[in-house]
Amino acid sequence: MSSALKFHFTDFTTTVNFRESLDFSLLEKQDTLTVFDENTFSLFGRGAPNPVILPAGEQSKCWENTDKIIQSALRLGLGRDGRMVGIGGGVICDLTAFSASIYMRGCSLLLVPTTLLAMVDAAFGGKTGINILKFKNIAGTFYPASEVRIIIPLLSSLPAREFKSGLAEVIKTAMVGDAELFTLLQERREQVIAAEPALLEEIVARCIRVKGKIVEQDLKESGKRAILNLGHTFAHALETVTALQQWSHGEAVAWGLIMALRLGEGLGVTDNSYTEVVHSMLKGYNFSLDIGEGSARGLLQAMDADKKKQGKNLRFILQRGIEDTIALAVDKKVVGDFLKREVKNAY
Ligand SMILES: NC(=O)c1ccc[n+]([C@@H]2O[C@H](COP(=O)([O-])OP(=O)(O)OC[C@H]3O[C@@H](n4cnc5c(N)ncnc54)[C@H](O)[C@@H]3O)[C@@H](O)[C@H]2O)c1
């Protein structure tokens, strides 16, 4: 197993430890509150100290559950030196981290991500958040966990679609910051799809290093961190117009990556040969990159409502090539015309 990785984010230090199994005997019972969703509790919850068990799914990232966690911590008598432990996918990680960040103005936080997406992205880097009304992550804080514990064997029960969703973020991370990882994903596709543990550990560690290096320079996303959003402006718009029903986040991200590269081509930023390489990688991992018929206007409106807009422009993360990423403000009309060309029978 890899040795621990350590990152410094302004006032916070996160240690990422790789372990073979989840061992609750290492946690002080009195001072620990564990948080699960129903699935992760039934899979991994045996022996967990003071568990709070919440419904699975995005709708669990809400005030009511934050309140539930905080009330449970109070009933337990958890002090500031006590610890909240989130054991689950990105939903449980975001929610537990948000609760820990506001409980007594911040208590200790350990995250044990159980989805690939949470291992490579959600559990690490300090963004916490809950959804309010239909707005995702509209309340949140920057509060990196003191420890993220990565236990690759926990992924063995993960449904294939969730695994694939995490792979889209892995591919994005490779594009942004690790050309060697990109090559590994190209050359060892079958072993990746077969989820070979040692290979997965290397992939997760590489993604964490890329993200950690960027977030160490810009915890609060005032600059460089935004490059990690490659593909996400398109992805969020697609998720919004399809009401989060049809496409998993990863599937939307895969489409978003290609859209970002094609938009870059149209603006003279991206070379077509690079788009083709990424396209063939994503197809190789069975991502459908065709959203069928759709509303170009709907997508544009969804982008317009996105937090990252700037006046009559929309802000995109684009690439000149691998590990060469830029942020660019693009006129909404140019984006609208692009979407009309890209989306089949656009209306
Ligand atoms: N904070 C960040 O930086 C950041 C980054 C990316 C995504 N996110 C957030 O992450 C969330 C998505 O996370 P997700 O994709 O992990 O979804 P999720 O947490 O909803 O998990 C997906 C499903 O898999 C189940 N599950 C989890 N681990 C399992 C396992 N090992 N075996 C079997 N089933 C398992 C869950 O119960 C759930 O039903 C979104 O809310 C998103 O906003 C946050």
Side-chain angles (χ1 to χ4, degrees):
M1 289 271 140
S2 322
S3 54
L5 305 172
K6 229 183 213 345
F7 298 89
H8 303 285
F9 306 122
T10 60
D11 294 340
F12 302 89
T13 297
T14 298
T15 305
V16 181
N17 285 311
F18 290 78
R19 294 272 192 276
E20 298 281 2
S21 64
L22 192 55
D23 186 355
F24 290 117
S25 65
L26 296 175
L27 301 174
E28 295 292 329
K29 203 172 165 49
Q30 275 317 101
D31 299 331
T32 301
L33 182 83
T34 53
V35 183
F36 296 87
D37 70 24
E38 288 157 344
N39 297 331
T40 59
F41 183 75
S42 69
L43 287 161
F44 315 121
R46 185 187 292 250
N50 311 307
V52 177
I53 305 155
L54 303 167
E58 185 65 31
Q59 67 284 0
S60 260
K61 266 174 59 170
C62 61
W63 272 121
E64 291 71 17
N65 287 337
T66 308
D67 193 47
K68 211 170 184 173
I69 293 170
I70 288 176
Q71 289 202 29
S72 303
L74 267 179
R75 275 196 296 276
L76 180 68
L78 202 77
R80 274 199 78 186
D81 53 350
R83 183 155 59 163
M84 291 191 189
V85 182
I87 302 164
V91 164
I92 288 299
C93 291
D94 276 7
L95 176 66
T96 310
F98 180 61
S99 306
S101 74
I102 58 175
Y103 182 68
M104 295 194 177
R105 301 202 174 90
C107 69
S108 175
L109 172 68
L110 162 63
L111 293 175
V112 183
T114 63
T115 62
L116 181 59
L117 181 126
M119 287 183 187
V120 299
D121 200 359
F124 175 71
K127 280 189 184 176
T128 84
I130 59 168
N131 310 326
I132 293 177
L133 300 175
K134 63 182 173 78
F135 300 101
K136 249 179 90 85
N137 302 322
I138 205 70
T141 52
F142 290 98
Y143 197 70
S146 47
E147 182 186 346
V148 177
R149 206 169 283 183
I150 304 284
I151 305 166
I152 296 291
L154 302 187
L155 294 177
S156 59
S157 52
L158 196 64
R161 195 166 181 212
E162 297 294 345
F163 183 75
K164 195 170 143 190
S165 196
L167 276 180
E169 294 291 352
V170 169
I171 293 169
K172 174 214 75 180
T173 307
M175 290 165 69
V176 168
D178 191 345
E180 263 180 39
L181 174 59
F182 192 89
T183 307
L184 180 153
L185 294 167
Q186 279 174 318
E187 291 176 351
R188 301 180 67 186
R189 189 176 66 218
E190 281 175 14
Q191 289 126 293
V192 175
I193 291 172
E196 277 192 6
L199 185 58
L200 275 189
E201 185 179 315
E202 180 180 349
I203 290 171
V204 171
R206 278 181 171 273
C207 288
I208 287 175
R209 279 197 204 95
V210 170
K211 184 170 179 183
K213 207 166 136 197
I214 293 168
V215 177
E216 279 186 328
Q217 298 168 58
D218 178 24
L219 173 65
K220 296 199 172 169
E221 200 170 309
S222 41
K224 182 152 193 198
R225 183 174 181 156
I227 66 175
L228 290 166
N229 296 329
L230 179 66
H232 282 62
T233 305
F234 287 102
H236 289 155
L238 180 59
E239 288 176 291
T240 303
V241 298
T242 55
L244 296 169
Q245 300 293 319
Q246 217 174 321
W247 297 77
S248 76
H249 179 63
E251 288 160 352
V253 167
W255 174 74
L257 290 172
I258 288 302
M259 286 301 104
L261 297 185
R262 290 210 181 121
L263 179 64
E265 278 184 42
L267 296 167
V269 171
T270 311
D271 201 89
N272 172 264
S273 59
Y274 177 57
T275 310
E276 290 308 315
V277 169
V278 175
H279 190 273
S280 120
M281 161 91 103
L282 290 166
K283 291 302 273 183
Y285 279 96
N286 272 324
F287 284 103
S288 160
L289 302 172
D290 179 2
I291 61 164
E293 294 192 6
S295 164
R297 197 182 308 142
L299 287 166
L300 190 64
Q301 273 167 0
M303 287 177 187
D304 205 17
D306 196 289
K307 307 191 272 294
K308 293 176 270 298
K309 71 174 175 178
Q310 290 181 336
K312 72 180 183 65
N313 293 329
L314 294 167
R315 189 158 176 264
F316 286 91
I317 305 301
L318 305 176
Q319 283 203 301
R320 295 192 195 98
I322 197 152
E323 292 192 38
D324 190 356
T325 310
I326 55 166
L328 204 67
V330 185
D331 192 300
K332 264 182 241 172
K333 170 139 187 8
V334 173
V335 182
D337 291 344
F338 168 76
L339 287 168
K340 278 187 210 143
R341 283 196 306 276
E342 288 295 329
V343 178
K344 221 179 278 168
N345 300 329
Y347 50 88

